[in-house]
Amino acid sequence: MIILRTPGEVELLREAGRLVARVLAEVQQATVPGVMTRDLDALAERRIREAGAVPAFKGYRGYPASLCVSINEEVVHGIPGSRRLKAGDLVSLDVGAFLKGYCGDITVTVAVGGSPDPVAARLLEAGRGALAAGIDAACPEGRLGDVGAAIQRFAEARGFSVVRDYCGHAIGQAMHEDLQVPNFGPAGRGPVLKPGLVLAIEPMVNEGTFEVESLEDGWTVVTRDRKRSVHFEHTVAITEEGPDILTLV
Ligand code: MF3
Ligand code: CO
Ligand code: CO
């Protein structure tokens, strides 16, 4: 069932979105060479709970942490642990939380130490721009397929690929609600986008092949060719006026 949110619910989703954006900004600041990924998770969980919110990932299908930390060839769902980040690593940080019963979900990928190599810089720009292009396409009376088409066009025009096996999703009182948001495919297809629809749009853009596989930990998704991947995500409400990004500080 596709759920459309009232303006009041969109404001609650904005509160949750603002919280995860703030938590992510702080975690991003702490993403420096030498930090252990489990310390980033602890920081995220502490800040979420201090705000009276609940981590959305911890316990979700048994996921053990409040933050996903996916490094270099890891695409999504990396589990924080005793690994230490090093300068030049491309690290995606995905945070989700429920505040007053409504969920915010946001991801950014950063280069540890702040100076990506030239290919990494282009990959980051492609991922960031693909998300922006997808959001721009999330207009009322457009179609869901327009979002994925815009993402795919942007990333592939820069010589990169988009992951097929994982999608964005509708979001509200659950993290993953009905309606998958693919990051590829033809424009002009799929459900018509209506005001009140709230989507987590989250392209995963790969340096090489779009193909991915899962590691034995049951969570970590990596690229088949072990080349790097970036991931960017915002929670976005569709309004009469166009897309409204809820995950802003
Ligand atoms: N936040 C992820 C998403 O963007 C889902 C993480 S599920 C978890 O959809 F269990 F890995 F945390
Ligand atoms: Co997410
Ligand atoms: Co998501």
Side-chain angles (χ1 to χ4, degrees), residues 5 9-10 12-18 20 54-57 95-106 169-177 198 200 235-236 246-247:
R5 302 292 166 182
E9 287 182 299
V10 170
L12 289 164
L13 283 159
R14 194 188 311 279
E15 285 186 42
R18 190 181 292 130
V20 292
V54 179
F57 306 168
V95 189
F98 287 94
L99 181 64
K100 301 179 189 171
Y102 289 84
C103 193
D105 192 6
I106 183 171
H169 48 94
I171 181 167
Q173 284 154 299
M175 174 166 60
H176 293 153
E177 295 191 341
V198 180
T235 300
V236 179
L246 304 181
T247 32

mmCIF file of all heavy atoms in Angstrom, residues 5 9-10 12-18 20 54-57 95-106 169-177 198 200 235-236 246-247:
data_model
loop_
_atom_site.group_PDB
_atom_site.id
_atom_site.type_symbol
_atom_site.label_atom_id
_atom_site.label_comp_id
_atom_site.label_asym_id
_atom_site.label_seq_id
_atom_site.Cartn_x
_atom_site.Cartn_y
_atom_site.Cartn_z
ATOM 1 N N ARG A 5 1.406 11.148 2.965
ATOM 2 C CA ARG A 5 1.485 11.791 4.270
ATOM 3 C C ARG A 5 0.792 13.147 4.259
ATOM 4 O O ARG A 5 0.876 13.895 3.273
ATOM 5 C CB ARG A 5 2.954 11.984 4.660
ATOM 6 C CG ARG A 5 3.750 10.688 4.696
ATOM 7 C CD ARG A 5 3.289 9.806 5.839
ATOM 8 N NE ARG A 5 3.800 8.438 5.692
ATOM 9 C CZ ARG A 5 3.514 7.457 6.539
ATOM 10 N NH1 ARG A 5 2.738 7.671 7.584
ATOM 11 N NH2 ARG A 5 3.985 6.258 6.339
ATOM 12 N N GLU A 9 2.205 15.322 9.077
ATOM 13 C CA GLU A 9 3.140 14.193 9.123
ATOM 14 C C GLU A 9 4.461 14.546 8.443
ATOM 15 O O GLU A 9 5.529 14.117 8.894
ATOM 16 C CB GLU A 9 2.523 12.967 8.439
ATOM 17 C CG GLU A 9 1.421 12.309 9.236
ATOM 18 C CD GLU A 9 0.902 11.079 8.511
ATOM 19 O OE1 GLU A 9 0.395 11.237 7.367
ATOM 20 O OE2 GLU A 9 1.014 9.981 9.062
ATOM 21 N N VAL A 10 4.382 15.311 7.363
ATOM 22 C CA VAL A 10 5.621 15.713 6.686
ATOM 23 C C VAL A 10 6.477 16.540 7.639
ATOM 24 O O VAL A 10 7.711 16.399 7.665
ATOM 25 C CB VAL A 10 5.318 16.470 5.372
ATOM 26 C CG1 VAL A 10 6.581 17.102 4.791
ATOM 27 C CG2 VAL A 10 4.686 15.525 4.352
ATOM 28 N N LEU A 12 6.579 16.191 10.904
ATOM 29 C CA LEU A 12 7.203 15.231 11.830
ATOM 30 C C LEU A 12 8.364 14.505 11.154
ATOM 31 O O LEU A 12 9.412 14.277 11.762
ATOM 32 C CB LEU A 12 6.158 14.235 12.336
ATOM 33 C CG LEU A 12 5.141 14.834 13.314
ATOM 34 C CD1 LEU A 12 3.930 13.921 13.477
ATOM 35 C CD2 LEU A 12 5.794 15.091 14.667
ATOM 36 N N LEU A 13 8.179 14.154 9.891
ATOM 37 C CA LEU A 13 9.276 13.514 9.146
ATOM 38 C C LEU A 13 10.448 14.478 8.983
ATOM 39 O O LEU A 13 11.608 14.065 8.987
ATOM 40 C CB LEU A 13 8.775 13.030 7.785
ATOM 41 C CG LEU A 13 7.955 11.741 7.858
ATOM 42 C CD1 LEU A 13 7.072 11.572 6.627
ATOM 43 C CD2 LEU A 13 8.892 10.536 7.997
ATOM 44 N N ARG A 14 10.142 15.778 8.894
ATOM 45 C CA ARG A 14 11.220 16.770 8.789
ATOM 46 C C ARG A 14 12.009 16.836 10.107
ATOM 47 O O ARG A 14 13.230 16.987 10.098
ATOM 48 C CB ARG A 14 10.655 18.153 8.433
ATOM 49 C CG ARG A 14 11.737 19.152 7.983
ATOM 50 C CD ARG A 14 11.193 20.563 7.821
ATOM 51 N NE ARG A 14 9.980 20.642 7.033
ATOM 52 C CZ ARG A 14 9.936 20.629 5.694
ATOM 53 N NH1 ARG A 14 11.045 20.539 5.001
ATOM 54 N NH2 ARG A 14 8.786 20.714 5.061
ATOM 55 N N GLU A 15 11.301 16.716 11.237
ATOM 56 C CA GLU A 15 12.009 16.712 12.532
ATOM 57 C C GLU A 15 12.956 15.520 12.610
ATOM 58 O O GLU A 15 14.105 15.655 13.051
ATOM 59 C CB GLU A 15 11.011 16.660 13.700
ATOM 60 C CG GLU A 15 10.293 17.968 13.954
ATOM 61 C CD GLU A 15 9.431 17.894 15.219
ATOM 62 O OE1 GLU A 15 9.897 17.326 16.235
ATOM 63 O OE2 GLU A 15 8.289 18.389 15.175
ATOM 64 N N ALA A 16 12.479 14.359 12.183
ATOM 65 C CA ALA A 16 13.339 13.166 12.178
ATOM 66 C C ALA A 16 14.482 13.342 11.175
ATOM 67 O O ALA A 16 15.634 12.972 11.450
ATOM 68 C CB ALA A 16 12.517 11.925 11.832
ATOM 69 N N GLY A 17 14.162 13.946 10.041
ATOM 70 C CA GLY A 17 15.174 14.161 9.005
ATOM 71 C C GLY A 17 16.247 15.130 9.469
ATOM 72 O O GLY A 17 17.449 14.913 9.236
ATOM 73 N N ARG A 18 15.806 16.186 10.160
ATOM 74 C CA ARG A 18 16.770 17.181 10.662
ATOM 75 C C ARG A 18 17.684 16.527 11.699
ATOM 76 O O ARG A 18 18.883 16.776 11.724
ATOM 77 C CB ARG A 18 15.990 18.349 11.272
ATOM 78 C CG ARG A 18 16.854 19.546 11.612
ATOM 79 C CD ARG A 18 16.021 20.659 12.241
ATOM 80 N NE ARG A 18 15.095 21.261 11.306
ATOM 81 C CZ ARG A 18 13.791 21.452 11.529
ATOM 82 N NH1 ARG A 18 13.237 21.083 12.666
ATOM 83 N NH2 ARG A 18 13.035 22.014 10.616
ATOM 84 N N VAL A 20 18.613 13.280 11.935
ATOM 85 C CA VAL A 20 19.640 12.397 11.343
ATOM 86 C C VAL A 20 20.671 13.207 10.552
ATOM 87 O O VAL A 20 21.846 12.831 10.500
ATOM 88 C CB VAL A 20 19.036 11.241 10.497
ATOM 89 C CG1 VAL A 20 18.302 10.257 11.393
ATOM 90 C CG2 VAL A 20 18.161 11.731 9.360
ATOM 91 N N VAL A 54 15.166 6.884 18.456
ATOM 92 C CA VAL A 54 15.558 5.479 18.486
ATOM 93 C C VAL A 54 16.305 5.154 17.186
ATOM 94 O O VAL A 54 15.806 5.493 16.103
ATOM 95 C CB VAL A 54 14.302 4.574 18.603
ATOM 96 C CG1 VAL A 54 14.690 3.108 18.619
ATOM 97 C CG2 VAL A 54 13.492 4.939 19.837
ATOM 98 N N PRO A 55 17.466 4.529 17.275
ATOM 99 C CA PRO A 55 18.167 4.147 16.042
ATOM 100 C C PRO A 55 17.271 3.241 15.187
ATOM 101 O O PRO A 55 16.650 2.315 15.710
ATOM 102 C CB PRO A 55 19.395 3.375 16.539
ATOM 103 C CG PRO A 55 19.588 3.794 17.952
ATOM 104 C CD PRO A 55 18.205 4.092 18.478
ATOM 105 N N ALA A 56 17.217 3.509 13.893
ATOM 106 C CA ALA A 56 16.334 2.716 13.022
ATOM 107 C C ALA A 56 16.976 1.402 12.597
ATOM 108 O O ALA A 56 16.270 0.455 12.240
ATOM 109 C CB ALA A 56 15.966 3.533 11.777
ATOM 110 N N PHE A 57 18.314 1.335 12.622
ATOM 111 C CA PHE A 57 18.978 0.149 12.060
ATOM 112 C C PHE A 57 19.189 -0.935 13.107
ATOM 113 O O PHE A 57 19.159 -2.118 12.777
ATOM 114 C CB PHE A 57 20.342 0.494 11.450
ATOM 115 C CG PHE A 57 20.336 1.603 10.419
ATOM 116 C CD1 PHE A 57 21.530 2.169 9.997
ATOM 117 C CD2 PHE A 57 19.151 2.072 9.868
ATOM 118 C CE1 PHE A 57 21.546 3.180 9.054
ATOM 119 C CE2 PHE A 57 19.158 3.092 8.922
ATOM 120 C CZ PHE A 57 20.366 3.650 8.522
ATOM 121 N N VAL A 95 22.807 6.879 8.305
ATOM 122 C CA VAL A 95 22.172 7.012 9.619
ATOM 123 C C VAL A 95 20.658 7.018 9.465
ATOM 124 O O VAL A 95 20.122 7.731 8.615
ATOM 125 C CB VAL A 95 22.528 8.360 10.309
ATOM 126 C CG1 VAL A 95 22.031 8.362 11.754
ATOM 127 C CG2 VAL A 95 23.999 8.653 10.263
ATOM 128 N N GLY A 96 19.978 6.279 10.337
ATOM 129 C CA GLY A 96 18.516 6.309 10.370
ATOM 130 C C GLY A 96 18.031 6.348 11.799
ATOM 131 O O GLY A 96 18.648 5.754 12.686
ATOM 132 N N ALA A 97 16.929 7.079 12.022
ATOM 133 C CA ALA A 97 16.377 7.150 13.378
ATOM 134 C C ALA A 97 14.884 7.419 13.318
ATOM 135 O O ALA A 97 14.390 8.045 12.372
ATOM 136 C CB ALA A 97 17.066 8.261 14.178
ATOM 137 N N PHE A 98 14.201 6.941 14.350
ATOM 138 C CA PHE A 98 12.787 7.257 14.552
ATOM 139 C C PHE A 98 12.671 8.308 15.635
ATOM 140 O O PHE A 98 13.162 8.128 16.755
ATOM 141 C CB PHE A 98 12.019 6.016 15.012
ATOM 142 C CG PHE A 98 11.820 5.008 13.932
ATOM 143 C CD1 PHE A 98 12.696 3.954 13.770
ATOM 144 C CD2 PHE A 98 10.739 5.128 13.050
ATOM 145 C CE1 PHE A 98 12.503 3.016 12.768
ATOM 146 C CE2 PHE A 98 10.539 4.198 12.046
ATOM 147 C CZ PHE A 98 11.430 3.138 11.903
ATOM 148 N N LEU A 99 11.999 9.406 15.296
ATOM 149 C CA LEU A 99 11.696 10.448 16.275
ATOM 150 C C LEU A 99 10.176 10.636 16.257
ATOM 151 O O LEU A 99 9.597 10.842 15.177
ATOM 152 C CB LEU A 99 12.416 11.752 15.891
ATOM 153 C CG LEU A 99 12.224 12.945 16.816
ATOM 154 C CD1 LEU A 99 12.815 12.682 18.200
ATOM 155 C CD2 LEU A 99 12.867 14.200 16.203
ATOM 156 N N LYS A 100 9.561 10.570 17.425
ATOM 157 C CA LYS A 100 8.094 10.682 17.527
ATOM 158 C C LYS A 100 7.392 9.746 16.543
ATOM 159 O O LYS A 100 6.347 10.083 15.964
ATOM 160 C CB LYS A 100 7.644 12.127 17.285
ATOM 161 C CG LYS A 100 8.254 13.118 18.281
ATOM 162 C CD LYS A 100 7.804 14.538 17.990
ATOM 163 C CE LYS A 100 8.591 15.546 18.830
ATOM 164 N NZ LYS A 100 8.323 16.945 18.418
ATOM 165 N N GLY A 101 8.007 8.578 16.321
ATOM 166 C CA GLY A 101 7.359 7.564 15.484
ATOM 167 C C GLY A 101 7.600 7.696 13.994
ATOM 168 O O GLY A 101 7.096 6.880 13.223
ATOM 169 N N TYR A 102 8.359 8.710 13.585
ATOM 170 C CA TYR A 102 8.613 8.915 12.153
ATOM 171 C C TYR A 102 10.106 8.802 11.874
ATOM 172 O O TYR A 102 10.937 9.174 12.702
ATOM 173 C CB TYR A 102 8.070 10.273 11.701
ATOM 174 C CG TYR A 102 6.561 10.271 11.670
ATOM 175 C CD1 TYR A 102 5.814 10.510 12.831
ATOM 176 C CD2 TYR A 102 5.887 9.972 10.492
ATOM 177 C CE1 TYR A 102 4.429 10.464 12.820
ATOM 178 C CE2 TYR A 102 4.501 9.935 10.464
ATOM 179 C CZ TYR A 102 3.775 10.178 11.620
ATOM 180 O OH TYR A 102 2.414 10.129 11.595
ATOM 181 N N CYS A 103 10.415 8.298 10.688
ATOM 182 C CA CYS A 103 11.792 7.892 10.377
ATOM 183 C C CYS A 103 12.498 8.871 9.435
ATOM 184 O O CYS A 103 11.910 9.345 8.461
ATOM 185 C CB CYS A 103 11.775 6.506 9.729
ATOM 186 S SG CYS A 103 13.395 5.729 9.622
ATOM 187 N N GLY A 104 13.765 9.140 9.741
ATOM 188 C CA GLY A 104 14.651 9.872 8.823
ATOM 189 C C GLY A 104 15.792 8.951 8.420
ATOM 190 O O GLY A 104 16.241 8.127 9.225
ATOM 191 N N ASP A 105 16.261 9.084 7.181
ATOM 192 C CA ASP A 105 17.283 8.180 6.629
ATOM 193 C C ASP A 105 18.173 9.022 5.718
ATOM 194 O O ASP A 105 17.666 9.681 4.797
ATOM 195 C CB ASP A 105 16.558 7.060 5.862
ATOM 196 C CG ASP A 105 17.437 5.888 5.461
ATOM 197 O OD1 ASP A 105 18.604 5.825 5.852
ATOM 198 O OD2 ASP A 105 16.908 5.003 4.738
ATOM 199 N N ILE A 106 19.474 9.016 5.983
ATOM 200 C CA ILE A 106 20.392 9.884 5.225
ATOM 201 C C ILE A 106 21.763 9.226 5.107
ATOM 202 O O ILE A 106 22.201 8.534 6.033
ATOM 203 C CB ILE A 106 20.528 11.271 5.905
ATOM 204 C CG1 ILE A 106 21.421 12.208 5.090
ATOM 205 C CG2 ILE A 106 21.047 11.139 7.348
ATOM 206 C CD1 ILE A 106 21.414 13.661 5.600
ATOM 207 N N HIS A 169 13.478 3.835 -1.314
ATOM 208 C CA HIS A 169 12.241 3.295 -0.751
ATOM 209 C C HIS A 169 11.352 4.411 -0.239
ATOM 210 O O HIS A 169 11.844 5.482 0.125
ATOM 211 C CB HIS A 169 12.582 2.349 0.413
ATOM 212 C CG HIS A 169 13.584 2.940 1.381
ATOM 213 N ND1 HIS A 169 13.204 3.607 2.522
ATOM 214 C CD2 HIS A 169 14.939 3.004 1.347
ATOM 215 C CE1 HIS A 169 14.302 4.031 3.152
ATOM 216 N NE2 HIS A 169 15.367 3.691 2.464
ATOM 217 N N ALA A 170 10.058 4.126 -0.186
ATOM 218 C CA ALA A 170 9.178 5.025 0.551
ATOM 219 C C ALA A 170 9.512 4.904 2.032
ATOM 220 O O ALA A 170 10.022 3.873 2.491
ATOM 221 C CB ALA A 170 7.725 4.661 0.296
ATOM 222 N N ILE A 171 9.255 5.967 2.788
ATOM 223 C CA ILE A 171 9.625 6.005 4.207
ATOM 224 C C ILE A 171 8.576 6.803 4.972
ATOM 225 O O ILE A 171 7.969 7.724 4.429
ATOM 226 C CB ILE A 171 11.048 6.603 4.355
ATOM 227 C CG1 ILE A 171 11.504 6.651 5.817
ATOM 228 C CG2 ILE A 171 11.159 7.990 3.724
ATOM 229 C CD1 ILE A 171 13.004 6.943 5.974
ATOM 230 N N GLY A 172 8.356 6.417 6.227
ATOM 231 C CA GLY A 172 7.346 7.115 7.032
ATOM 232 C C GLY A 172 7.400 6.620 8.454
ATOM 233 O O GLY A 172 8.350 6.904 9.174
ATOM 234 N N GLN A 173 6.372 5.841 8.839
ATOM 235 C CA GLN A 173 6.371 5.259 10.184
ATOM 236 C C GLN A 173 7.151 3.944 10.221
ATOM 237 O O GLN A 173 7.365 3.390 11.281
ATOM 238 C CB GLN A 173 4.942 5.078 10.677
ATOM 239 C CG GLN A 173 4.355 6.422 11.109
ATOM 240 C CD GLN A 173 2.858 6.461 10.999
ATOM 241 O OE1 GLN A 173 2.297 6.306 9.905
ATOM 242 N NE2 GLN A 173 2.195 6.656 12.127
ATOM 243 N N ALA A 174 7.555 3.478 9.059
ATOM 244 C CA ALA A 174 8.552 2.404 8.958
ATOM 245 C C ALA A 174 9.688 2.950 8.098
ATOM 246 O O ALA A 174 9.490 3.884 7.322
ATOM 247 C CB ALA A 174 7.953 1.156 8.318
ATOM 248 N N MET A 175 10.884 2.343 8.245
ATOM 249 C CA MET A 175 12.014 2.814 7.429
ATOM 250 C C MET A 175 11.796 2.447 5.965
ATOM 251 O O MET A 175 11.958 3.285 5.072
ATOM 252 C CB MET A 175 13.324 2.214 7.951
ATOM 253 C CG MET A 175 14.524 2.527 7.078
ATOM 254 S SD MET A 175 16.103 2.172 7.854
ATOM 255 C CE MET A 175 15.995 0.415 8.185
ATOM 256 N N HIS A 176 11.448 1.196 5.736
ATOM 257 C CA HIS A 176 11.231 0.740 4.356
ATOM 258 C C HIS A 176 9.744 0.509 4.149
ATOM 259 O O HIS A 176 9.188 -0.467 4.637
ATOM 260 C CB HIS A 176 12.005 -0.556 4.085
ATOM 261 C CG HIS A 176 13.498 -0.366 4.104
ATOM 262 N ND1 HIS A 176 14.381 -1.359 4.425
ATOM 263 C CD2 HIS A 176 14.258 0.721 3.817
ATOM 264 C CE1 HIS A 176 15.624 -0.887 4.351
ATOM 265 N NE2 HIS A 176 15.573 0.367 3.987
ATOM 266 N N GLU A 177 9.075 1.412 3.442
ATOM 267 C CA GLU A 177 7.661 1.240 3.140
ATOM 268 C C GLU A 177 7.511 0.845 1.675
ATOM 269 O O GLU A 177 8.459 0.909 0.896
ATOM 270 C CB GLU A 177 6.902 2.532 3.471
ATOM 271 C CG GLU A 177 6.954 2.821 4.975
ATOM 272 C CD GLU A 177 6.013 3.924 5.427
ATOM 273 O OE1 GLU A 177 5.558 4.724 4.590
ATOM 274 O OE2 GLU A 177 5.739 3.974 6.640
ATOM 275 N N VAL A 198 6.578 10.315 0.401
ATOM 276 C CA VAL A 198 7.902 10.602 0.972
ATOM 277 C C VAL A 198 8.832 9.443 0.625
ATOM 278 O O VAL A 198 8.518 8.279 0.895
ATOM 279 C CB VAL A 198 7.829 10.821 2.498
ATOM 280 C CG1 VAL A 198 9.218 11.119 3.066
ATOM 281 C CG2 VAL A 198 6.864 11.969 2.816
ATOM 282 N N ALA A 200 12.960 7.900 0.321
ATOM 283 C CA ALA A 200 14.406 7.937 0.523
ATOM 284 C C ALA A 200 15.022 7.609 -0.831
ATOM 285 O O ALA A 200 14.844 6.507 -1.351
ATOM 286 C CB ALA A 200 14.832 6.935 1.574
ATOM 287 N N THR A 235 16.083 11.930 2.438
ATOM 288 C CA THR A 235 14.653 11.679 2.588
ATOM 289 C C THR A 235 13.930 12.903 2.023
ATOM 290 O O THR A 235 14.218 14.032 2.433
ATOM 291 C CB THR A 235 14.313 11.455 4.072
ATOM 292 O OG1 THR A 235 15.045 10.325 4.558
ATOM 293 C CG2 THR A 235 12.823 11.227 4.263
ATOM 294 N N VAL A 236 13.026 12.676 1.062
ATOM 295 C CA VAL A 236 12.452 13.761 0.260
ATOM 296 C C VAL A 236 10.923 13.643 0.214
ATOM 297 O O VAL A 236 10.399 12.569 -0.104
ATOM 298 C CB VAL A 236 12.995 13.690 -1.187
ATOM 299 C CG1 VAL A 236 12.404 14.788 -2.056
ATOM 300 C CG2 VAL A 236 14.521 13.750 -1.206
ATOM 301 N N LEU A 246 13.936 16.664 3.318
ATOM 302 C CA LEU A 246 13.640 16.713 4.755
ATOM 303 C C LEU A 246 14.887 16.518 5.603
ATOM 304 O O LEU A 246 14.880 16.862 6.796
ATOM 305 C CB LEU A 246 12.603 15.635 5.106
ATOM 306 C CG LEU A 246 11.298 15.695 4.314
ATOM 307 C CD1 LEU A 246 10.358 14.587 4.767
ATOM 308 C CD2 LEU A 246 10.632 17.069 4.444
ATOM 309 N N THR A 247 15.930 15.954 5.026
ATOM 310 C CA THR A 247 17.145 15.633 5.789
ATOM 311 C C THR A 247 18.186 16.738 5.650
ATOM 312 O O THR A 247 19.291 16.529 5.141
ATOM 313 C CB THR A 247 17.711 14.277 5.310
ATOM 314 O OG1 THR A 247 17.423 14.107 3.920
ATOM 315 C CG2 THR A 247 17.122 13.126 6.081
#
